[in-house]
Amino acid sequence: HLPVPEIDPSDYSLDICGIGLTKKSFSLDDLKKFPPHTVTATLQGAANRRDELAEVRPLPFIKFSGGSCGNAVWKGARLRDVLNAAGFDHLKDDCNAWHVVFEGLDTGPG
């Protein structure tokens, strides 16, 4: 939904911080050292059939019907491997972390 950011691969870093972690940064080269995993996935847009919903209640969004689906093959480091390398241990007795929040480099107006 937002513009694709311009990224210089030599300057990119993935920063990880949170409960049970010391802030850690990974370069693209660091991430490429993790064992690669491949996942084939089908993603469906949450707004499929929004045109039908708009008939029930007016919506301030673009109306479109079904078909907002796509297939992709994703390859790269597993999130679990990266979090573990940052010091996260979900088996610790005092682990209170239950969610991961992602902040992307894509930004919109405002």
Side-chain angles (χ1 to χ4, degrees):
H1 298 278
L2 298 171
V4 176
E6 297 277 335
I7 298 172
D8 179 352
S10 64
D11 289 336
Y12 175 81
S13 69
L14 172 68
D15 300 325
I16 298 180
C17 60
I19 296 172
L21 300 174
T22 301
K23 185 175 180 180
K24 184 156 176 112
S25 294
F26 296 92
S27 69
L28 277 180
D29 287 335
D30 294 333
L31 295 171
K32 290 177 182 178
K33 293 175 186 173
F34 288 97
H37 292 269
T38 302
V39 175
T40 302
T42 299
L43 301 177
Q44 175 178 316
N48 266 352
R49 299 175 63 183
R50 188 181 284 166
D51 57 342
E52 294 175 23
L53 184 58
E55 291 176 14
V56 177
R57 179 175 178 217
L59 297 172
F61 307 110
I62 297 169
K63 297 178 189 176
F64 59 91
S65 58
S68 177
C69 293
N71 295 317
V73 177
W74 305 88
K75 182 177 179 181
R78 290 188 306 186
L79 177 60
R80 176 183 176 170
D81 294 341
V82 176
L83 291 176
N84 286 344
F88 180 73
D89 182 0
H90 72 284
L91 297 176
K92 286 176 33 181
D93 289 338
D94 62 346
C95 179
N96 292 315
W98 292 94
H99 302 280
V100 175
V101 177
F102 300 94
E103 293 182 13
L105 295 176
D106 50 342
T107 58

